[in-house]
Amino acid sequence: MKITRNKAFKVFFTPIWESNPVSGQILGICSALAVTVQLKTAIVMSLALTFVLAFSNLSISLMRNLIPRNIRIIVELTVIATLVIFTDQVLKAFLYDISKQLSIFVGLIITNCIIMGRAETYALGNPPFLSLLDGIGNGLGYSQILITVAIMRELLGAGKLFGFQVIPDAFYAIGYKNMGFMVLAPGAFIAIGLIVWLQKTVSKE
Amino acid sequence: MENLVSIFINSVFVGNILLAYFLGMCSFLAISSNMEPAVGLGFAVTFVLAITTPINWLVYHYLLAPGALAWAGLPLADLSFLKFIIFIAVIAAIVQALEMIIDRYSPPLYMALGVFLPLIAVNCAILGASLFMVERDYNFVESVVFGASSGIGWMLAIVTMAGIRQKLRYANVPAGLEGFGISMIIAGLMAMAFMLFSGITL
C-alpha cells in the first residue's frame, strides 16, 4: 500500500516542479504566452486546461485497451475536442466577458501539445486513477507557470492585479512608470525565458 | 483590393501569427535549429494554411454558422458550437489527402515536405487561422489571402529564427539559459522588431 501511495504522490507532484510541462517538457507554450496579459484570464485558462487534461487522461486511460493502435490519434482528438466544446459552452454561459477575451485560445486547447502529449505518453499505458492524477498534476504545473507569468506581466505592465491597482499612487508621483512593454507580445516571450532560466538554475542546485 | 493588401501586410508583419499571436510555437521551437528543415516546414505550413482556411470558410458558412443550413430547409439551425471538432477533422483529412496526392504526383516535393505534413495536423497555427477567420468575419477571398499570408509570415519567422540559432552556436550563453530559455528571449527580440511595422498605414 505504501508503494502505491508513493507512486501516486510522485505522479502527482513531479510535473508541478521537476518536469513541468511548460518549462521542462516545452509543451503548450502558445497559450501560456497569449492569455497572460491579465491574471484573471490566466486563471480561467488554467482551470479550463486542467479540467480538459484531467478528464481526457481519465477517459483515454479507461478506453486504453479498446482503442486500436492505428486510429488512436483520431480517437484522442475526438475525446479532447468534445471536452473542449463542453468547456467553451460553459465559459460562454457563465463567464461571457472572459470567454470573449480568451477568444480563440479556448478552442486551441485541442491542439495544445500538453494534452496530446500526456494522452500519448501516459494515459495510453497507465491505469485510470494514476492517469487522472497525472492530468491534474500537469494541469497544475501549467497553471503555476501561467499564473507566475501573468502576475509578472500585469503587475509590471499595468500596476494592477485582478484589475485592482496594487502599486500605490505615491510611487507614480515620484516618477515610477508602468512598463508598457510587458503588456505587449515581446514581454511574454522574455518573461517566460527568464522564468525558465530561474527554474533551471534553482533546480540544478 | 486595398483591403486585401492590408490583410496581407497585417498578417505577414504586424499581426504575425507566430510572433504576435503565439500560434505554432511548439514546432517553431523544435524545428528551428537548422536552416533546411525550417524552410521545408515553412513551405508546408504556408501550403496547408492556404488550402485549409478557405475550405474551413466554406464548411463554416454552408454548414455550421447560424442560419447556414437554410439551403437544406433548416433556417433556424445553429451548429457553430461544433466548429472546433469539425475544423480539426477537416484539417486532419486535408493533410492526410495532401500527403497521398503529393506522394503520388511529385516525389521530390514529397521528399522535401513529406516528413513535416503529419506534424502540421496538430500545429495550432492551422486551427488558429481557421478560428481567427471565423472571429474576424472574413469573406471568402479575404480568407484565401489571410491563410496564405499567415503562412508566409510564419515561414518568415521560423527561417529568421533558424538563421539566428545557427549563429548562436558560436555565442557564449549563460548556463541555465541555453536551449529553451535563450530561444524564448530571441523570439521576444524578434517580436519587438516585427512590432515596428505597426506604424505602416495603407
Side-chain angles (χ1 to χ4, degrees):
Chain A
M1 192 60 216
K2 206 175 170 217
I3 294 165
T4 27
R5 195 179 296 156
N6 276 345
K7 195 177 175 201
F9 183 82
K10 220 175 138 195
V11 163
F12 185 71
F13 282 101
T14 335
I16 295 183
W17 180 257
E18 272 168 52
S19 67
N20 186 290
V22 179
S23 59
Q25 310 169 36
I26 320 193
L27 297 173
I29 324 242
C30 320
S31 52
L33 292 160
V35 300
T36 48
V37 177
Q38 288 176 334
L39 192 51
K40 207 166 51 178
T41 50
I43 288 178
V44 173
M45 183 69 187
S46 308
L47 290 176
L49 187 118
T50 310
F51 168 79
V52 174
L53 187 52
F55 283 94
S56 81
N57 257 8
L58 177 66
S59 26
I60 288 166
S61 166
L62 283 173
M63 296 189 296
R64 71 185 186 283
N65 296 325
L66 303 173
I67 304 176
R69 204 148 175 81
N70 294 331
I71 57 158
R72 68 182 194 287
I73 304 254
I74 198 98
V75 175
E76 287 162 18
L77 273 179
T78 319
V79 170
I80 297 167
T82 314
L83 286 165
V84 170
I85 291 176
F86 177 76
T87 316
D88 185 52
Q89 296 290 314
V90 170
L91 286 183
K92 272 194 184 135
F94 295 106
L95 294 165
Y96 188 73
D97 293 336
I98 293 181
S99 102
K100 270 281 159 237
Q101 281 174 20
L102 287 172
S103 83
I104 66 163
F105 288 97
V106 178
L108 286 177
I109 295 180
I110 299 176
T111 50
N112 191 312
C113 352
I114 297 181
I115 302 194
M116 270 306 245
R118 292 327 290 176
E120 280 278 293
T121 54
Y122 201 86
L124 276 179
N126 286 287
F129 178 65
L130 286 179
S131 301
L132 180 69
L133 280 185
D134 178 77
I136 299 176
N138 274 287
L140 290 179
Y142 170 87
S143 314
Q144 174 219 338
I145 296 281
L146 223 68
I147 289 170
T148 319
V149 178
I151 290 179
M152 218 166 133
R153 287 182 75 189
E154 198 178 353
L155 188 65
L156 295 176
K160 295 173 178 172
L161 282 179
F162 288 112
F164 296 108
Q165 191 175 336
V166 178
I167 295 184
D169 285 325
F171 276 44
Y172 291 103
I174 55 170
Y176 175 82
K177 287 226 169 63
N178 287 329
M179 268 166 79
F181 171 72
M182 289 311 281
V183 182
L184 301 172
F189 284 110
I190 289 175
I192 295 225
L194 294 178
I195 286 177
V196 171
W197 189 9
L198 179 76
Q199 191 172 22
K200 273 196 182 164
T201 319
V202 171
S203 51
K204 224 172 256 169
E205 283 162 6
Chain B
M1 193 61 210
E2 248 173 55
N3 180 22
L4 297 183
V5 175
S6 119
I7 289 181
F8 179 80
I9 300 279
N10 196 34
S11 30
V12 175
F13 297 110
V14 188
N16 186 298
I17 198 162
L18 182 79
L19 295 170
Y21 294 103
F22 315 107
L23 300 179
M25 284 304 295
C26 304
S27 31
F28 173 73
L29 290 172
I31 313 289
S32 64
S33 47
N34 278 306
M35 193 52 122
E36 239 170 74
V39 176
L41 184 66
F43 273 111
V45 166
T46 312
F47 197 52
V48 173
L49 265 178
I51 295 174
T52 53
T53 316
I55 291 185
N56 275 334
W57 188 92
L58 292 173
V59 169
Y60 185 74
H61 286 268
Y62 289 99
L63 289 176
L64 303 177
L69 281 173
W71 57 267
L74 296 165
L76 294 178
D78 175 5
L79 296 178
S80 56
F81 70 93
L82 284 177
K83 66 175 186 271
F84 299 140
I85 199 163
I86 303 279
F87 282 179
I88 196 81
V90 167
I91 290 168
I94 291 176
V95 168
Q96 188 70 62
L98 270 180
E99 197 183 347
M100 291 190 288
I101 295 172
I102 297 178
D103 187 23
R104 172 74 182 73
Y105 291 102
S106 170
L109 187 62
Y110 183 77
M111 293 296 283
L113 296 186
V115 278
F116 302 115
L117 283 171
L119 260 180
I120 286 176
V122 286
N123 185 329
C124 44
I126 314 284
L127 181 63
S130 290
L131 295 174
F132 268 134
M133 172 270 298
V134 170
E135 198 180 80
R136 296 181 190 166
D137 239 347
Y138 287 137
N139 65 29
F140 183 70
V141 182
E142 284 170 347
S143 78
V144 177
V145 175
F146 174 68
S149 49
S150 301
I152 294 172
W154 198 89
M155 182 163 81
L156 190 63
I158 194 173
V159 170
T160 321
M161 185 68 175
I164 296 176
R165 279 179 78 171
Q166 278 187 341
K167 293 281 174 206
L168 203 65
R169 286 181 202 152
Y170 307 104
N172 209 351
V173 181
L177 194 60
E178 70 273 278
F180 180 40
I182 194 74
S183 308
M184 290 312 278
I185 289 180
I186 293 172
L189 298 176
M190 278 170 61
M192 242 190 273
F194 271 67
M195 284 192 70
L196 297 180
F197 289 107
S198 57
I200 297 176
T201 43
L202 285 170

